[in-house]
Amino acid sequence: MSLAARLLLAFGLVAIIATAFVGLTLREASREIIEGGFAERIDAAHAGVRQQLAWEADALRDLLPPLCRHDTFVDKAHVELERAKGDPDAMDPGSRIALGRLVPSQAKALRLDELSLVAGDGSVLGAEDAARIGARDKRLAELIQAPGGAPRLRPAKAGAEPSLEVHCALSRHGVTIGLVGARRIGPVLARIGEAYHVRLTAAREGELAPRSSEAEVVRVLHFAEIPGLDVVASVPRDPLRQALARLDRAIALTGATVLAIAVAMAVVLARSLSRPLVALARETREVMSGAPRRVEGRGGREIADLAAAFNATIDELAAMRKRLAATERIAARREVARQIAHEIKNPLAPIRAAVETLRRLRQRDDPAFDDYFAEATSTVLNEVHRIANIVTEFTQFARLPPPNLTPIDLVAVARGVITLHAAPASGEATSGAGSTSGAGATSGAPSPRVELVADPIPEVSADRDQLIQVLTNLVQNGLDAASAVRRDPRVSVTIGPLPNDRVRIVVRDNGPGVAEEMVPRLFEPYATSKEKGTGLGLAIAQRIVFEHGGEITYRKAKKGGAVFEIWLPIAGPPLLEKPLGDTTVRPRPPDAPRS
């Protein structure tokens, strides 16, 4: 297939796939947003109905009991029923008519949809519906015998709506009379549903709960405040279908436009690229089939660069073949040796500084000698032990071991590193300034080269030795860089908490900072500006920080100098399914077979 055909096919496929992917993603996102809007409307209606019904229940709970306790209307009805010895049929007809007329006015005053004055046998003495007067209702008789309290649900029956029903009763001298009131739930549902553009209907007893369909979103809402009450909330999907139809038309139009532009670009590029590429390919075939010779690239800067790179590759092939065998044999040993030398160099510098400090203190019979002796010798032994561990680890594994996580006091670890580096080097300019590190400085003693400023932080789950290795590397690098340009090299280490259960370590020096051309490659292995440096220190520090689940960054200080910031999680690195890949070169065992 020719380049022109491939470009047309590639650009066309990219346009179609990109449009389809973006369109489908946008369509699905739009659907989810609109569906989410439906759900939010239903949730808001649910909350509104719950709040309104709770208010209605609280209002009804205390509405009727005062009437049964001391209202003259109920007392008069009880007296009349007592005169008739509890028989509603024996009551005076005039009294019954008067009671029947009072009940509707009471229902209106109490804003009740239904109100019934009921005798103990269930006879309705008065009701807002005159047709119910004189009827006997066994359910009402049982209801007024039960203790009053919170309103209960009266389920919907044929031709009726569910209601919240409340009652009270007055029993004296063996005669019982009661009031039963109710408010319909339907108006509450209609009012709140209209506010949220959701259709709310009370589910009827015994009916199957409806389900969502392509026509509407349906959900059954339950209310713990009103046991037995289920409300069906439904929202039509018409807005969703209309929005998706408009979106589909827009996606189709956009896709057609993008496809036309892609085809036009492919045609133009094919014409400008195919001719010089064909010529270059012909010359390359001639070179590869005959003796090596230079080729010429015509048709643009990129083609010329390609031809130049091909020529350079041909020139290097012969020399590379001669050097390759020897280079492969010594590469692994050389890299391991460079890593070991780099790792041992950093502990040796503070050990030397500690010993020189001890000698100076001893020579002038300084009273701080005894206090500093135990700390310095202990630190030197620890560093010697760490050197032995480093050598052992490189000898056995030729790679950085995974972190051995234990809870450590990060401030104490930093203070131990700073103690080794705080004293000025031999011959360095001194001053009488104090130190925040407290690294054994006495009155009149030289100010320390390294200081520590630490805020309270919790213990951190980390590898003590590896963090010492990182801090030692950064502090020593800062001192080396500052010492090259200043007589008073200084390094400050700041430790403090960060949000999201993290801690921050900032190492800042007063040196010249990192050269701009070195910044992009700062953490790459073997990238260094030192004459004798291997460039492994920052690469190893970065790997240690990464394996602890943290980050390390560099920036240039505003007043000059380098600033390295480290963020570490307090709980340690997250669990990994497998260890991180080994980025070091493994030494070949003496008895290993050679390939």
Side-chain angles (χ1 to χ4, degrees):
M1 184 181 294
S2 65
L3 176 62
R6 290 183 179 182
L7 284 175
L8 287 172
L9 180 60
F11 275 62
L13 287 177
V14 168
I16 294 173
I17 293 174
T19 304
F21 178 78
V22 173
L24 292 177
T25 303
L26 183 60
R27 194 178 194 277
E28 190 61 28
S30 301
R31 175 187 291 274
E32 292 177 0
I33 291 173
I34 298 174
E35 293 276 7
F38 292 164
E40 290 175 0
R41 284 158 57 184
I42 292 176
D43 291 338
H46 190 186
V49 172
R50 174 181 284 112
Q51 182 179 7
Q52 184 66 26
L53 290 180
W55 182 86
E56 292 283 353
D58 289 339
L60 287 173
R61 182 184 294 108
D62 302 323
L63 190 63
L64 294 184
L67 298 180
C68 290
R69 286 195 298 267
H70 47 70
D71 188 83
T72 57
F73 162 72
V74 178
D75 288 339
K76 181 179 179 181
H78 186 273
V79 169
E80 293 295 334
L81 185 60
E82 187 177 354
R83 288 177 181 173
K85 298 181 180 182
D87 184 5
D89 295 333
M91 292 178 61
D92 178 65
S95 298
R96 293 191 62 171
I97 293 173
L99 291 174
R101 292 176 178 175
L102 286 174
V103 171
S105 61
Q106 286 288 345
K108 184 176 181 180
L110 298 175
R111 294 191 302 107
L112 293 173
D113 296 315
E114 297 178 18
L115 182 63
S116 302
L117 181 64
V118 183
D121 62 352
S123 298
V124 178
L125 303 179
E128 91 289 343
D129 183 6
R132 297 175 54 229
I133 298 176
R136 289 190 179 183
D137 191 334
K138 183 179 179 181
R139 188 185 68 85
L140 295 180
E142 294 175 352
L143 183 62
I144 63 173
Q145 298 298 329
R152 65 188 66 187
L153 176 69
R154 188 181 71 189
K157 296 182 179 179
E161 294 181 2
S163 304
L164 289 179
E165 193 173 65
V166 67
H167 72 279
C168 68
L170 175 62
S171 297
R172 283 200 302 256
H173 309 296
V175 177
T176 300
I177 193 169
L179 284 174
V180 180
R183 282 183 183 164
R184 292 192 296 272
I185 297 176
V188 175
L189 300 181
R191 183 170 64 255
I192 295 177
E194 182 178 3
Y196 293 101
H197 303 288
V198 178
R199 187 162 59 89
L200 300 173
T201 56
R204 296 188 177 275
E205 191 174 14
E207 291 183 354
L208 294 177
R211 297 182 179 180
S212 297
S213 63
E214 290 296 326
E216 60 182 1
V217 179
V218 179
R219 191 196 302 174
V220 179
L221 309 179
H222 306 282
F223 299 89
E225 300 85 352
I226 311 295
L229 175 62
D230 292 335
V231 174
V232 178
S234 60
V235 179
R237 293 180 182 268
D238 291 337
L240 173 62
R241 290 196 294 268
Q242 294 171 2
L244 292 180
R246 291 195 299 270
L247 184 60
D248 290 340
R249 290 192 295 270
I251 292 173
L253 179 60
T254 302
T257 304
V258 171
L259 181 60
I261 295 174
V263 170
M265 292 178 62
V267 171
V268 174
L269 287 175
R271 290 180 178 178
S272 62
L273 291 177
S274 60
R275 283 191 293 270
L277 286 177
V278 169
L280 180 62
R282 183 181 64 255
E283 292 185 15
T284 303
R285 284 193 299 269
E286 293 174 357
V287 169
M288 299 306 297
S289 60
R293 62 180 179 81
R294 302 179 65 83
V295 298
E296 295 183 5
R298 305 179 183 87
R301 186 179 63 184
E302 291 79 8
I303 302 300
D305 292 342
L306 178 59
F310 179 82
N311 292 332
T313 302
I314 292 296
D315 295 337
E316 287 290 329
L317 278 177
M320 287 180 61
R321 289 174 181 174
K322 296 177 181 179
R323 298 193 303 263
L324 184 58
T327 302
E328 289 179 343
R329 285 194 299 269
I330 65 174
R333 298 190 185 95
R334 182 178 181 182
E335 298 306 326
V336 171
R338 292 177 67 180
Q339 292 185 43
I340 295 175
H342 184 88
E343 294 302 324
I344 293 178
K345 179 181 177 181
N346 286 338
L348 288 178
I351 290 174
R352 178 181 177 181
V355 173
E356 289 178 352
T357 302
L358 285 175
R359 294 185 63 186
R360 288 197 300 272
L361 294 176
R362 182 63 176 174
Q363 288 173 0
R364 62 175 181 245
D365 292 329
D366 195 312
F369 176 83
D370 292 334
D371 294 335
Y372 186 73
F373 179 82
E375 180 181 358
T377 54
S378 174
T379 304
V380 169
L381 290 176
N382 289 337
E383 291 302 312
V384 171
H385 177 67
R386 189 159 68 87
I387 292 174
N389 287 340
I390 291 173
V391 174
T392 300
E393 290 168 355
F394 271 104
T395 301
Q396 292 178 349
F397 305 108
R399 65 176 180 88
L400 189 69
N404 181 20
L405 302 179
T406 57
I408 65 171
D409 184 346
L410 186 58
V411 176
V413 170
R415 187 175 291 112
V417 174
I418 288 171
T419 298
L420 294 175
H421 295 80
S426 177
E428 185 179 312
T430 62
S431 65
S435 168
T436 61
S437 65
T442 61
S443 177
S447 62
R449 299 188 302 167
V450 186
E451 61 180 5
L452 172 65
V453 178
D455 294 331
I457 60 171
E459 288 189 335
V460 178
S461 179
D463 188 308
R464 182 186 184 89
D465 290 340
Q466 291 189 3
L467 289 190
I468 290 176
Q469 184 177 351
V470 172
L471 289 173
T472 300
N473 186 288
L474 294 178
V475 170
Q476 188 61 51
N477 285 351
L479 290 175
D480 292 344
S483 299
V485 297
R486 302 177 67 99
R487 298 183 59 189
D488 59 337
R490 293 287 181 266
V491 174
S492 67
V493 180
T494 305
I495 298 178
L498 282 177
N500 301 326
D501 296 328
R502 298 181 300 166
V503 295
R504 179 176 63 177
I505 307 171
V506 180
V507 180
R508 181 183 287 104
D509 63 58
N510 62 347
V514 178
E516 292 296 332
E517 63 271 14
M518 283 295 299
V519 171
R521 302 175 55 244
L522 188 59
F523 294 102
E524 293 182 5
Y526 319 122
T528 179
S529 59
K530 298 181 180 179
E531 294 181 0
K532 299 181 180 181
T534 63
L536 287 173
L538 289 179
I540 293 174
Q542 184 188 54
R543 179 175 173 183
I544 290 174
V545 172
F546 282 0
E547 291 190 353
H548 278 75
E551 297 180 16
I552 180 171
T553 61
Y554 162 80
R555 72 173 188 273
K556 190 169 184 178
K558 294 181 179 179
K559 296 183 179 181
V563 179
F564 288 89
E565 292 192 16
I566 298 174
W567 297 272
L568 293 175
I570 293 176
L575 295 177
L576 299 175
E577 296 181 359
K578 58 182 179 180
L580 295 175
D582 189 3
T583 58
T584 61
V585 179
R586 299 175 183 269
R588 182 189 299 273
D591 56 348
R594 296 183 179 272
S595 57

